[in-house]
Amino acid sequence: MQSTKLTDNLSNLSIPNAAWLFIGSLILFLLSGCQQTLNQPAPQYVRSIHPDNVQTLQEGHGYLLMAVTTNLNIRSLFINGPINIALKQADLESGTNYILVPLPQGQYNISEISMYFGNYSFDKNDYWNFEVMGDTISYIGDLQTEFQGKYNTTISYELRNRSSYALEFLENKYPTLLKSKTVVYSGFGEDRFLEFMTQKSKANTDSGSDEPLEHSSK
Amino acid sequence: MIQSKKIPIVVTVFILLSAVVTSVHLQANTIISGEELFKTPYYTVPQISPDGKFVIGKVDDGEKRELVITDVNAKKRYPVIFFAKRNYLRNFYWIDSDSIYIEYISGKKNKNSIVNVDVNNLAVKQPAQQISAEGYLLSSLPEVENQVLFARRLSEDDLEIYQIATSDLVNGNFASAQKFESHLKDAFFYSYNDQNSAFFGLKFDKDENAFSIWFLAPNKKTWRLLYDSDNLSFQLKPIQYLSDNKFLVLTNQITERMSVAVFDLVSQKVEKIVYEDPKHDIISAEADDESGELISVTFLQHGEQEVLYFKQELADIENYYMDAEDDDPAYTVDTSADGTRSIVLAYGASHPGTYILFDEKTQSTQLIEHQYPSLIEHEFAKTRRIEMELASGETQEGFLTLPYLNGNGTLLIMLEAGSTASDKMTEFSPSVQYLASRGYAILRLDYQSPVEFIESDTDTYNVRMNTLLESDINELVEYVKQRFNYDKACPIGYGYGGYSALRMSMLYQQNYQCVISLFGIYDLQLLFSANNAEALKLNQQAIKELLQNQNASFVEKAPVYLAKGFNKPVLMVAGENDDVAIPEQFNRMSYVLERQIDDLENYIYSDVGHGFERWFQELQFHAVIDDFLRRHLSLAPLEEISDNEVAAEEYVVISDMFAFDTLTENKASKSFEYLVKASRLGHPRAMFNHGAHFHRGDLVSRNFTKAMELYQKASEVGYASASYRVAEFLSRGTEVDQDLPKAYEYYLLADQQGHDARAGLKAARYVCKGEVVERDVDLCKRLFDIKKIRKDNLKNRQIKVDENSKKLWRSLFPDLMLASGNTTEQQAFYKRLLYEEFEIVDVKAQFELVEEGIFTNAGLTGHKKTTDQIPMTPGVKFGVRFRLNKQADSTENSAIIVQIFRTTEKQQKAVIRQRIEQKSGRQFRQDWYIDKELSSAEAVPSLYEIQIYNLDAELLYSKTFNVGSFI
């Protein structure tokens, strides 16, 4: 896991200085959040789609599937790309939250976590980049965050590939969607498990065995 | 830690040695229980004193751990020091012939002590003196009498090295000590090689978050850099200076676990892996200074240090030895300073290890101790090497252990990455012997992991795919099956072995009847995409090329993608915290198999990483493996080939696995299924728990008659909790008819069976008072003397005194003290106990009433009305305030006995409060206050009688309060 401290280098400072730096850091992080909103298009707040409300996917769009596991409620999670989005606390509560959202296809990156006591920016490198592919469910991994320390100011985070759990989630919650869409792993590294399994599953479905029967018009 | 010197060996000596070893091997054709096999060795790491007269070793009998010293000449053994459960022994060795250095962890603190051994009087307790200076011993300096090398810690990253006299070290007197001048600036850790006087030093740069390892070559004054890295994701620990550029190190740089390797200074790379254990991280190792050959490795086995020895000093007689009935190799463990006396370990695949003292001068051997004394009566299966030429022209080697009884026609193929050929021949494997004693044949191979991380530089790995050898293994398996007439075969894989076990069964389905995989890896892709932190360690370019070149076959090769058409029973286990075979590996394989096969048994252990961390987990899962094989291969149930006791114990062990949060998913009905099996075979705890299920109506219909039957059966076979429970039923008379004499007998029985002190105390209630059974003052004193019971428990672990017992003991006191007919001896006994527990003495005092009646508040100032008529109002407080005037001006603590009785229309007079009220000497003269507050439920017409007694059971005060005009 990687970890970031809001209060880096505090241990060598006297307490009053440390306190000031802590406040300074907090402001800095808050400002960095503001800066994002000034320099980039404002994020659209989105919610994970409800299993009973899956709508037809627009042309040139695909689904982002991820999970967020956290020990504290997260205020917002910012993801930048062809459009900038922000997920809100309703989808980011303490525990494991699966998130499925339709997005324009393209390259995205996880950019920031916002807490009520400060913001945490992710490094701008490959490790937080992913692609949402058109007409496909792109699973990017489980974002595991753990807030530690006396004031929860240290965060450990990593993106874990838990494809089989994600597939089980889709089977339980979105069985119809799963039948019509290919699922691919789009997180860090390469993994063809989801592709292999969903193609195999679709091949079975294509035999017609799972097609619903038509009712009599009477 | 261990001195090794070449000793001349005379063949005749080993006739004696052989006699010592073989004499302990009795033939006993019984199944070896898992409990006997999967446990910490009783006696380990013996070390001989420099003068060769004494041997110190560690004893662990499962309950207590201690160091013991053996007087070689007198052939007697004495305890030196006990270790409480919270203390972890890290290291110990002789400083000289009459002092031992001991390093242990107490709580989280590292502690060092020196025991000065009074060699003329070993029977007395040897005093351990703690070293007050912070730091640790670097060397006992075997060549220098009474001097040691000590690393003294001045601050977190400031260490100084001193050569100091042992007595000065104990006293913290460094004034006369010789300070080592060529120290390494900012080093926070040093180590030292006795063999060649080389030093190693470790520095850590906080700003850069980087460490560096330095060395000081023998007879040099300048420290040189061995290795530095800002990548802390792997470890490198130098063990020994071998030559100018070569070092023996421990590292996990290119292996799954911490392994012993040779590190090259110039290329800055691991040159070769010397020893890798498939299941354990190596924590220490020793090699021969001249030849570089490994002498021993130390690892943690389920929390305890264990040493494997490699230096076969006895090799020149090994042929003779192998031809003898026992074919165990023998290893030199330690040698006296003059080289004339050695400790030798006779140990092998079919021998769990015996330490023997060899005296070169007298050409005699002497048994020191067996590693597992409880196993000496068993016969163990032998391992033989087999080799065959494959169709490809290659030669495949295997190691076959055949059962010596109960053969069931089943061949198990064990696949463990990292294990080598010599391991199979020389190491005693509890796992192999467990399975062999149950009738399985075990074939082990020099197994190569399907993937290797190679050619590391500072922060990345490259990856090499090994040609998978399933076809070769399969060919060998087929040969063994035919040659030894086995009709059933199942592979058991561990780690990467799980990959090959499943893959082989899928590719050659017709040849295998089932598969078992522990902590398996099933999809190699996941090694490169498990998460975005781990992946950083890998050389991404190399992996990309690998995937591009081999992508299709790479994916297809993994068992996750080969399952189509496969349908054999599979048993899989994983660890919740496994960071090698991550849970996704397990879940991915489970996902595929659940949709493919009829019989999948898959479990995730809670709080377990890449391998079992406790012996009982090993035992548990081996029982599960045996049970799985018996069910799916239609083998005889365990109880048909063993006595019921062994079978019942293993069913209970399985039952426990499915309960008590052992697994991430609690499987209550499965647990119950095995519990019933064990109960039917007469297992005491199983019968008790089975009874409890009927008692609670849990997973079965509630049936108290059946519950009582099972409790009684469990009691009959010695289960103390069952006896206690039956006693409780008979005592309270709600579930069954009250029968106090019988209840007394069951309490007494529970006490004899080792129940906690409550059983004896409740029996004491009857026998001390002489109400239900005849008064027996001696028995009363034995059962009620809690201090003695506690003391005995510390010594012999007989009867536990827990908080509940203490609470019960306190509550019984007034009842026993006020019982009619107490003898003078009894009264004196009770007073003695009061003094021992509470320092209460019997102070003679005169009772003086202050106030009685209704009080507004508890305390001294709230008196409202002097009356014995109390309104029937919830919350009303009534009682008595009084003084006790001591006859002498004593400051000792004293006490009174208070009883409150209640009588209502529905209930006859009964005690509602009975306790000892005590005051310290200073407070004794202050007012005492005894009150009763009515609750809502108690606000009914009733009588309350308060009685106050002194410790001689003389009534000091009695008053009846009439609530709600009861009369």
Side-chain angles (χ1 to χ4, degrees):
Chain A
M1 268 201 170
Q2 299 173 47
S3 71
T4 297
K5 271 189 181 180
L6 261 178
T7 53
D8 264 348
N9 302 321
L10 291 191
S11 56
N12 295 332
L13 300 174
S14 61
I15 292 168
N17 284 343
W20 278 113
L21 189 61
F22 172 73
I23 294 163
S25 303
L26 195 60
I27 292 166
L28 195 66
F29 275 93
L30 291 170
L31 284 176
S32 75
C34 296
Q35 198 179 6
Q36 177 188 357
T37 57
L38 290 174
N39 295 343
Q40 295 181 7
Q44 293 178 24
Y45 283 99
V46 295
R47 285 214 58 179
S48 182
I49 53 176
H50 193 276
D52 298 335
N53 192 25
V54 180
Q55 294 178 356
T56 310
L57 201 58
Q58 290 175 44
E59 185 70 26
H61 280 59
Y63 289 103
L64 160 67
L65 173 65
M66 68 185 295
V68 176
T69 300
T70 174
N71 61 335
L72 289 180
N73 292 344
I74 294 173
R75 187 183 186 190
S76 307
L77 173 67
F78 296 95
I79 294 173
N80 295 340
I83 62 164
N84 295 344
I85 62 162
L87 291 151
K88 300 202 78 175
Q89 187 180 320
D91 285 325
L92 304 168
E93 291 191 334
S94 177
T96 296
N97 310 267
Y98 274 97
I99 294 154
L100 182 71
V101 288
L103 289 176
Q105 64 189 49
Q107 295 289 334
Y108 291 81
N109 69 289
I110 301 172
S111 68
E112 198 170 296
I113 278 177
S114 169
M115 302 298 289
Y116 290 98
F117 48 82
N119 293 1
Y120 299 86
S121 294
F122 288 79
D123 294 338
K124 288 192 168 74
N125 58 33
D126 287 352
Y127 309 136
W128 305 103
N129 291 351
F130 61 88
E131 182 181 3
V132 173
M133 294 164 73
D135 202 33
T136 296
I137 300 170
S138 300
Y139 169 69
I140 66 162
D142 285 20
L143 178 64
Q144 306 257 341
T145 66
E146 190 180 354
F147 294 88
Q148 298 155 328
K150 196 173 177 185
Y151 301 104
N152 294 312
T153 49
T154 301
I155 178 175
S156 300
Y157 49 86
E158 70 179 7
L159 208 47
R160 285 187 195 168
N161 180 357
R162 288 165 58 92
S163 291
S164 61
Y165 295 92
L167 187 54
E168 286 169 340
F169 165 77
L170 288 173
E171 284 175 349
N172 288 334
K173 299 286 183 184
Y174 302 89
T176 312
L177 185 66
L178 188 58
K179 280 181 185 169
S180 64
K181 297 282 177 272
T182 300
V183 189
V184 296
Y185 176 68
S186 189
F188 195 83
E190 296 194 31
D191 182 8
R192 295 170 63 189
F193 171 78
L194 288 171
E195 235 173 309
F196 191 92
M197 290 302 148
T198 51
Q199 279 171 359
K200 188 176 146 193
S201 146
K202 276 209 297 183
N204 291 339
T205 309
D206 290 345
S207 67
S209 59
D210 287 341
E211 289 297 319
L213 295 173
E214 282 188 5
H215 291 281
S216 156
S217 57
K218 290 178 185 176
Chain B
M1 186 169 73
I2 293 158
Q3 310 292 311
S4 271
K5 289 171 187 159
K6 284 185 188 267
I7 52 171
I9 301 300
V10 180
V11 171
T12 51
V13 169
F14 292 95
I15 299 171
L16 294 166
L17 177 56
S18 182
V20 169
V21 177
T22 53
S23 67
V24 298
H25 273 217
L26 304 176
Q27 302 293 316
N29 288 344
T30 55
I31 278 190
I32 310 170
S33 77
E35 274 191 322
E36 287 180 279
L37 281 165
F38 297 106
K39 65 179 183 184
T40 303
Y42 172 76
Y43 186 85
T44 46
V45 285
Q47 291 165 56
I48 194 162
S49 60
D51 63 9
K53 291 179 181 170
F54 303 96
V55 172
I56 186 154
K58 189 181 80 169
V59 161
D60 185 339
D61 69 358
E63 290 289 326
K64 64 179 180 208
R65 293 168 301 156
E66 60 184 343
L67 288 183
V68 293
I69 190 165
T70 304
D71 183 333
V72 171
N73 295 334
K75 297 184 181 175
K76 281 189 175 175
R77 197 157 78 193
Y78 306 91
V80 175
I81 187 166
F82 289 93
F83 289 93
K85 276 195 172 174
R86 64 181 186 282
N87 292 343
Y88 166 67
L89 177 64
R90 286 188 64 173
N91 215 344
F92 64 94
Y93 45 84
W94 291 96
I95 293 177
D96 47 49
S97 291
D98 60 3
S99 51
I100 303 160
Y101 172 75
I102 299 169
E103 187 182 334
Y104 63 99
I105 296 172
S106 178
K108 287 181 179 173
K109 285 190 173 171
N110 205 41
K111 293 194 172 175
N112 308 311
S113 292
I114 289 177
V115 177
N116 291 310
V117 182
D118 182 356
V119 293
N120 298 316
N121 196 6
L122 287 167
V124 301
K125 193 182 172 190
Q126 309 293 314
Q129 291 174 284
Q130 198 157 322
I131 298 171
S132 55
E134 285 233 7
Y136 56 95
L137 206 68
L138 273 175
S139 168
S140 63
L141 296 177
E143 307 300 325
V144 192
E145 187 70 13
N146 290 326
Q147 294 272 316
V148 296
L149 209 56
F150 187 79
R152 186 186 187 192
R153 186 173 297 287
L154 302 177
S155 67
E156 194 181 326
D157 50 6
D158 193 3
L159 272 175
E160 288 180 345
I161 300 173
Y162 289 90
Q163 184 173 328
I164 184 169
T166 315
S167 53
D168 285 343
L169 180 60
V170 168
N171 298 326
N173 176 16
F174 284 77
S176 314
Q178 187 185 336
K179 188 175 168 186
F180 182 65
E181 293 303 333
S182 303
H183 73 282
L184 177 67
K185 191 173 181 296
D186 298 334
F188 75 94
F189 187 79
Y190 286 110
S191 63
Y192 177 76
N193 276 170
D194 272 340
Q195 287 195 32
N196 53 25
S197 310
F199 282 91
F200 292 101
L202 191 57
K203 295 210 283 191
F204 183 72
D205 185 333
K206 280 181 190 164
D207 296 335
E208 297 294 323
N209 198 33
F211 68 85
S212 54
I213 298 167
W214 299 71
F215 70 97
L216 185 64
N219 306 316
K220 301 284 182 189
K221 290 192 172 174
T222 311
W223 286 84
R224 289 174 64 195
L225 181 67
L226 173 63
Y227 183 83
D228 67 12
S229 172
D230 56 1
N231 186 344
L232 297 178
S233 61
F234 62 85
Q235 299 171 50
L236 190 136
K237 181 183 170 190
I239 294 294
Q240 200 162 325
Y241 174 91
L242 298 176
S243 67
D244 265 356
N245 298 325
K246 310 285 184 202
F247 297 84
L248 195 71
V249 299
L250 298 182
T251 182
N252 60 355
Q253 199 170 7
I254 61 170
T255 48
E256 199 175 317
R257 297 185 178 278
M258 286 294 276
S259 306
V260 186
V262 173
F263 184 79
D264 183 73
L265 177 67
V266 179
S267 67
Q268 288 286 296
K269 285 179 180 172
V270 166
E271 197 169 73
K272 67 170 181 180
I273 297 294
V274 180
Y275 182 81
E276 179 188 6
D277 190 280
K279 292 185 181 174
H280 305 105
D281 288 321
I282 307 299
I283 59 170
S284 174
E286 188 185 13
D288 187 287
D289 192 32
E290 290 166 16
S291 66
E293 283 175 18
L294 206 56
I295 295 170
S296 67
V297 296
T298 307
F299 54 88
L300 282 182
Q301 171 98 301
H302 307 309
E304 294 294 329
Q305 282 190 22
E306 287 201 25
V307 185
L308 269 183
Y309 303 94
F310 299 96
K311 197 172 183 183
Q312 295 193 34
E313 294 274 18
L314 316 180
D316 52 342
I317 55 88
E318 196 179 88
N319 287 338
Y320 166 79
Y321 204 61
M322 295 284 276
D323 289 340
E325 191 174 322
D326 274 293
D327 53 1
D328 315 312
Y331 306 87
T332 303
V333 171
D334 200 7
T335 308
S336 63
D338 65 359
T340 58
R341 279 184 169 178
S342 301
I343 301 172
V344 174
L345 173 64
Y347 172 81
S350 57
H351 191 299
T354 301
Y355 293 103
I356 296 146
L357 186 87
F358 166 53
D359 190 320
E360 191 202 337
K361 282 183 189 163
T362 58
Q363 297 289 296
S364 61
T365 56
Q366 179 183 323
L367 172 71
I368 299 174
E369 185 54 281
H370 303 288
Q371 288 204 109
Y372 294 90
S374 63
L375 288 178
I376 57 171
E377 67 186 35
H378 291 287
E379 183 184 1
F380 294 101
K382 303 268 188 279
T383 298
R384 66 175 80 178
R385 180 179 174 279
I386 51 168
E387 187 180 283
M388 74 170 287
E389 193 174 320
L390 303 170
S392 62
E394 298 276 322
T395 302
Q396 178 69 55
E397 191 183 38
F399 300 88
L400 185 64
T401 308
L402 296 175
Y404 54 84
L405 75 162
N406 302 319
N408 60 27
T410 306
L411 178 67
L412 302 176
I413 304 98
M414 275 194 178
L415 302 168
E416 292 177 348
S419 61
T420 62
S422 63
D423 300 343
K424 321 287 191 306
M425 291 303 294
T426 57
E427 281 182 27
F428 179 81
S429 163
S431 175
V432 167
Q433 294 299 340
Y434 175 93
L435 293 166
S437 92
R438 281 154 178 74
Y440 304 99
I442 298 101
L443 177 64
R444 289 180 291 169
L445 304 128
D446 207 351
Y447 175 74
Q448 197 179 17
S449 169
V451 63
E452 273 188 293
F453 300 109
I454 54 161
E455 292 185 9
S456 57
D457 56 30
T458 51
D459 56 4
T460 62
Y461 301 141
N462 278 348
V463 182
R464 180 173 68 203
M465 302 298 297
N466 287 323
T467 310
L468 293 176
L469 299 172
E470 285 87 357
S471 60
D472 297 348
I473 298 169
N474 184 60
E475 219 176 316
L476 183 66
V477 170
E478 282 303 286
Y479 164 75
V480 172
K481 279 173 74 178
Q482 283 178 16
R483 165 78 176 74
F484 295 94
N485 203 22
Y486 287 106
D487 58 349
K488 295 179 276 282
C490 297
I492 301 179
Y494 193 102
Y496 286 111
Y499 179 99
S500 294
L502 266 159
R503 201 179 118 80
M504 187 165 74
S505 306
M506 288 167 175
L507 291 174
Y508 307 100
Q509 193 173 168
Q510 70 283 4
N511 295 346
Y512 301 96
Q513 280 63 49
C514 64
V515 188
I516 298 166
S517 175
L518 296 88
F519 309 100
I521 286 161
Y522 310 108
D523 190 350
L524 298 182
Q525 292 182 105
L526 263 176
L527 298 176
F528 317 121
S529 61
N531 58 56
N532 60 350
E534 280 299 307
L536 302 182
K537 288 188 222 164
L538 301 164
N539 184 329
Q540 291 299 308
Q541 187 54 36
I543 291 162
K544 206 168 179 182
E545 284 169 17
L546 183 88
L547 292 173
Q548 278 167 358
N549 295 338
Q550 301 196 33
N551 214 357
S553 59
F554 186 72
V555 171
E556 285 164 10
K557 277 176 180 173
V560 165
Y561 307 104
L562 278 181
K564 192 176 180 185
F566 174 71
N567 192 5
K568 299 286 181 185
V570 175
L571 171 65
M572 289 174 23
V573 68
E576 185 185 25
N577 303 329
D578 195 336
D579 56 2
V580 178
I582 56 171
E584 170 65 12
Q585 293 275 6
F586 173 87
N587 199 60
R588 193 170 278 202
M589 195 70 244
S590 298
Y591 177 90
V592 172
L593 290 177
E594 274 163 6
R595 286 155 181 77
Q596 185 68 44
I597 67 173
D598 299 326
D599 297 306
L600 173 65
E601 298 179 21
N602 53 348
Y603 312 116
I604 303 183
Y605 263 79
S606 305
D607 295 324
V608 165
H610 192 51
F612 292 122
E613 288 151 19
R614 299 277 180 271
W615 279 115
F616 80 85
Q617 292 165 339
E618 294 271 10
L619 162 63
Q620 213 163 47
F621 205 70
H622 277 80
V624 168
I625 288 174
D626 185 34
D627 179 67
F628 170 84
L629 291 167
R630 288 184 187 285
R631 282 186 286 111
H632 290 290
L633 303 180
S634 304
L635 304 177
L638 187 58
E639 54 270 35
E640 286 183 18
I641 63 156
S642 70
D643 56 40
N644 283 354
E645 204 177 319
V646 171
E649 186 59 44
E650 304 217 345
Y651 288 138
V652 160
V653 158
I654 298 173
S655 172
D656 288 348
M657 187 188 86
F658 291 120
F660 305 120
D661 298 326
T662 309
L663 305 175
T664 53
E665 200 181 337
N666 209 329
K667 296 173 186 289
S669 58
K670 274 227 157 208
S671 175
F672 184 64
E673 182 189 322
Y674 285 93
L675 183 77
V676 172
K677 281 187 177 198
S679 170
R680 287 183 180 147
L681 292 172
H683 188 279
R685 178 162 66 90
M687 287 195 288
F688 174 78
N689 283 339
H690 193 187
H693 276 275
F694 278 115
H695 193 177
R696 294 196 305 258
D698 181 8
L699 297 171
V700 283
S701 301
R702 194 172 188 281
N703 185 331
F704 185 77
T705 308
K706 282 190 177 174
M708 191 68 174
E709 266 174 36
L710 286 160
Y711 287 144
Q712 279 176 321
K713 278 185 181 174
S715 165
E716 282 163 22
V717 291
Y719 198 65
S721 297
S723 304
Y724 184 78
R725 191 162 289 183
V726 172
E728 291 281 88
F729 293 144
L730 294 166
S731 167
R732 64 178 173 237
T734 48
E735 292 90 347
V736 294
D737 291 341
Q738 192 178 52
D739 187 338
L740 296 180
K742 217 168 171 185
Y744 164 74
E745 282 171 23
Y746 272 100
Y747 281 130
L748 209 53
L749 180 63
D751 184 64
Q752 287 158 1
Q753 290 168 337
H755 195 274
D756 68 48
R758 286 176 300 161
L761 292 172
K762 288 191 177 179
R765 186 174 57 189
Y766 297 116
V767 78
C768 294
K769 290 171 76 176
E771 280 181 3
V772 172
V773 293
E774 203 174 321
R775 188 187 300 266
D776 182 337
V777 176
D778 289 341
L779 184 57
C780 164
K781 284 166 75 176
R782 185 177 71 73
L783 293 171
F784 201 64
D785 192 342
I786 203 163
K787 191 175 180 187
K788 189 169 184 308
I789 295 168
R790 200 161 43 207
K791 205 172 160 187
D792 289 346
N793 183 48
L794 283 176
K795 217 178 192 177
N796 308 316
R797 288 164 211 276
Q798 289 175 329
I799 306 288
K800 201 170 139 195
V801 181
D802 59 9
E803 276 307 310
N804 287 329
S805 306
K806 286 186 204 162
K807 203 171 159 188
L808 174 65
W809 183 77
R810 284 192 290 269
S811 74
L812 288 175
F813 239 108
D815 191 29
L816 297 190
M817 290 189 84
L818 298 178
S820 61
N822 277 344
T823 63
T824 318
E825 185 185 356
Q826 271 180 294
Q827 291 289 12
F829 167 65
Y830 297 141
K831 284 182 190 174
R832 172 172 70 78
L833 294 185
L834 281 177
Y835 181 74
E836 285 174 354
E837 280 299 306
F838 309 114
E839 293 185 353
I840 289 172
V841 294
D842 180 23
V843 177
K844 300 295 174 200
Q846 198 175 358
F847 183 89
E848 182 189 328
L849 180 67
V850 179
E851 287 161 340
E852 60 185 7
I854 298 171
F855 291 78
T856 50
N857 295 304
L860 298 171
T861 57
H863 188 233
K864 192 175 178 184
K865 189 179 179 185
T866 302
T867 177
D868 58 3
Q869 298 299 313
I870 311 300
M872 208 169 56
T873 312
V876 69
K877 292 190 188 82
F878 57 94
V880 56
R881 189 156 70 223
F882 57 94
R883 287 188 196 113
L884 291 170
N885 296 318
K886 291 183 187 176
Q887 290 170 352
D889 190 19
S890 167
T891 55
E892 287 169 308
N893 303 339
S894 193
I896 52 167
I897 304 167
V898 174
Q899 279 190 320
I900 302 180
F901 297 88
R902 182 176 62 197
T903 309
T904 64
E905 272 182 8
K906 288 182 182 173
Q907 196 182 15
Q908 290 183 341
K909 185 176 173 181
V911 176
I912 60 163
R913 188 189 303 169
Q914 184 169 253
R915 66 180 178 219
I916 303 255
E917 297 279 349
Q918 69 176 101
K919 280 196 176 189
S920 68
R922 285 178 191 166
Q923 295 170 329
F924 196 87
R925 289 183 186 281
Q926 295 170 2
D927 285 1
W928 296 64
Y929 182 84
I930 305 295
D931 78 328
K932 167 68 189 163
E933 180 177 342
L934 280 189
S935 67
S936 302
E938 290 169 330
V940 294
S942 46
L943 292 179
Y944 284 83
E945 184 181 352
I946 295 177
Q947 294 180 350
I948 298 169
Y949 295 85
N950 66 15
L951 296 184
D952 285 326
E954 293 166 350
L955 185 63
L956 302 176
Y957 171 84
S958 178
K959 181 79 183 178
T960 301
F961 295 91
N962 188 356
V963 177
S965 304
F966 181 68
I967 50 173

